Amino acid sequence: MKHTVYWIEGDGIGPEIWKVTRPVLDAAMQAATDGEEELEWVELLAGEKATRLTGSPLPQETLDTLKTASVAIKGPLGTPVGGGMRSLNVAMRQAFDLYACIRPVSWFEGISTPVKHPENVNMVIFRENTEDVYAGIEYQAGSAEAEKLAAFLRSEFGAKIREASAIGIKPMSAFCSKRLVRRAIRYALDHHLPSVTLVHKGNIMKFTEGGFRAWGYEVAREEFGDVTIPEKEATPENSKGKIIIKDRIADAMFQEALLRPEQYSVLALPNLNGDYISDALAAQVGGLGMAPGVNMSDTLALFEATHGTAPTAAGKDIANPGSLLLSGALMLEHLGFAAAADKVRQAILKAIADKTVTPDLAAEMPGAQAVSCSKFGEILLENIR
Ligand code: NAI
């Protein structure tokens, strides 16, 4: 049986990490299902390749196909900083309402990390993907829009806004906060995880971030009241078998993640906090090169490498394909092929144990042999076969 997977190559190191990832995922499927189940790869264009071939960075055909697709996987797409084109990633998240960015973070034994006990980091990040300061409602300093908005806020609400300020808007709704937290709690239930922590800056931004916290507790109480309990009410007796709902202020959470990571399992966060903590936790377990992720709507799962296009590494065959490979493993799991996903992870673990890894990992691993991206792929194929 064939399972259609749409794929986007991506920019920068995208083509190199794809050259490794696709054969490894195919080999894992072959090995796990004796060739009975296969992935059918259908390429979609986006980014520089799309611009080159069609004149548009996000062609209508790609948008139309993804509208009805259920599974896709993408390499990183470049975005100019501080101007120019809007982020294609953000555009896609909004176009398909990919409201939950889910990133499991755990350590691969043998990977060198900046912390003493990376094995204690076992968290799954649920980041809200459509709202917050990333909603794209932002006006340049001195623009007519910024001036008009500032004048309105000053005259109507007495807001103090310095002259010639750039202005961004931070919308956060009960609807979007609740559907994200709902998904995080369901995940914790399905995977028998002990807690869901709402991470927010509600002490400062009382109505947006504070709203996220309040709506999170509300959805837990109203929809999962029999299987969850707020941390403040939990005792050893009344919390047995229940998911503990915690909340932490975002800055404190960064400290907790370093000092007491074992006390956290599922994290639910608004967009910006979620973006920050994703990279911080990835660093704790050895860096972005090994961090997988998926963006989900209610109908589409778009798996992606968590890192960017790594322009300085592009074209040198030195990139680490780990993040895309592990996102591919998540995708196999999502498609119902947990055994194939496990083959991918075991092959990576063996390569790490044998100390044959890409230069980013080798640099931190005493005695390791740095191998190219393509050689790493060959090693994984051998490990799977
Ligand atoms: P980046 O993730 O591309 O690079 C950060 C650092 O990590 C660099 O030193 C890079 O060489 C290294 N790195 C990243 N991935 C690696 C890998 N697989 N193997 C080895 N080293 C790796 O982030 P940066 O430089 O901030 O962004 C570059 C471009 O990527 C920008 O245009 C940005 O907008 C875009 N980007 C795209 C993302 C996506 O498509 N999901 C996510 C993040 C950034």
Side-chain angles (χ1 to χ4, degrees):
M1 193 167 162
K2 294 197 171 187
H3 304 268
T4 303
V5 170
Y6 295 99
W7 67 287
I8 292 170
E9 188 174 61
D11 303 326
I13 56 172
E16 294 155 70
I17 56 177
W18 261 116
K19 231 182 243 165
V20 166
T21 299
R22 204 171 130 174
V24 168
L25 298 183
D26 284 335
M29 282 293 282
Q30 164 75 30
T33 70
D34 287 329
E36 292 196 356
E37 311 273 355
E38 279 177 49
L39 302 176
E40 184 174 52
W41 298 93
V42 181
E43 183 170 15
L44 296 178
L45 295 175
E48 285 165 20
K49 191 172 182 181
T51 309
R52 209 167 52 240
L53 297 177
T54 71
S56 161
L58 195 53
Q60 193 58 42
E61 199 185 330
T62 298
L63 291 170
D64 290 345
T65 308
L66 285 177
K67 233 171 246 161
T68 56
S70 56
V71 176
I73 179 165
K74 62 177 272 295
L77 293 168
T79 311
V81 175
M85 181 180 82
R86 255 192 87 199
S87 161
L88 293 178
N89 297 306
V90 175
M92 273 198 258
R93 284 170 200 164
Q94 288 180 355
F96 305 115
D97 201 22
L98 298 165
Y99 64 85
C101 175
I102 305 166
R103 290 174 172 166
V105 189
S106 60
W107 179 59
F108 276 74
E109 190 170 354
I111 297 279
S112 143
T113 76
V115 297
K116 287 185 195 149
H117 291 291
E119 70 280 7
N120 289 346
V121 180
N122 268 305
M123 293 187 221
V124 184
I125 299 168
F126 279 70
R127 164 187 170 195
E128 205 290 325
N129 236 354
T130 61
E131 295 196 306
D132 199 351
V133 282
Y134 283 32
I137 312 169
E138 194 187 23
Y139 303 105
Q140 193 170 10
S143 67
E145 293 90 343
E147 291 305 315
K148 195 167 177 181
L149 192 53
F152 177 79
L153 293 171
R154 284 186 204 109
S155 66
E156 294 295 316
F157 303 128
K160 288 197 174 70
I161 301 171
R162 201 178 284 278
E163 285 303 314
S165 293
I167 298 185
I169 303 279
K170 180 181 170 80
M172 284 173 58
S173 66
F175 176 80
C176 290
S177 303
K178 281 186 170 182
R179 68 178 175 176
L180 186 270
V181 175
R182 185 178 296 123
R183 198 157 197 152
I185 296 175
R186 282 220 183 98
Y187 183 95
L189 275 173
D190 291 347
H191 293 81
H192 310 290
L193 296 171
S195 68
V196 173
T197 304
L198 310 167
V199 184
H200 59 89
K201 278 294 288 181
N203 54 329
I204 307 292
M205 291 168 269
K206 297 191 190 295
F207 307 119
T208 49
E209 303 263 332
F212 180 85
R213 172 183 177 276
W215 294 318
Y217 276 118
E218 210 172 291
V219 86
R221 190 176 60 245
E222 287 174 0
E223 297 175 29
F224 302 93
D226 50 341
V227 286
T228 64
I229 186 159
E231 184 178 32
K232 283 196 183 89
E233 295 168 20
T235 64
E237 293 74 40
N238 70 7
S239 60
K240 264 197 200 102
K242 289 191 175 174
I243 296 169
I244 303 208
I245 308 292
K246 310 179 181 187
D247 81 273
R248 296 290 180 272
I249 291 173
D251 40 345
M253 186 63 223
F254 277 81
Q255 181 169 253
E256 289 288 284
L258 283 166
L259 298 178
R260 285 173 279 276
E262 67 284 355
Q263 294 185 7
Y264 299 91
S265 66
V266 175
L267 306 183
L269 313 93
N271 211 335
L272 179 65
N273 297 335
D275 197 4
Y276 291 158
I277 205 131
S278 294
D279 280 26
L281 288 182
Q284 268 177 247
V285 297
L288 279 176
M290 299 292 284
V294 55
N295 294 296
M296 284 185 147
S297 71
D298 288 328
T299 54
L300 171 66
L302 178 59
F303 295 81
E304 69 170 356
T306 304
H307 55 73
T309 58
T312 54
K316 297 181 184 154
D317 198 18
I318 56 169
N320 180 357
S323 175
L324 191 60
L325 280 160
L326 292 168
S327 299
L330 280 185
M331 180 184 79
L332 296 182
E333 227 162 46
H334 176 79
L335 286 168
F337 302 112
D342 198 46
K343 293 220 176 278
V344 177
R345 293 194 190 104
Q346 291 304 324
I348 295 175
L349 269 171
K350 178 161 177 4
I352 294 168
D354 293 343
K355 297 197 169 203
T356 45
V357 289
T358 47
D360 56 318
L361 299 180
E364 308 288 333
M365 204 187 276
Q369 183 198 351
V371 296
S372 65
C373 177
S374 48
K375 178 71 189 166
F376 187 67
E378 286 165 24
I379 291 168
L380 297 187
L381 286 175
E382 273 167 34
N383 291 351
I384 287 173
R385 286 173 191 143

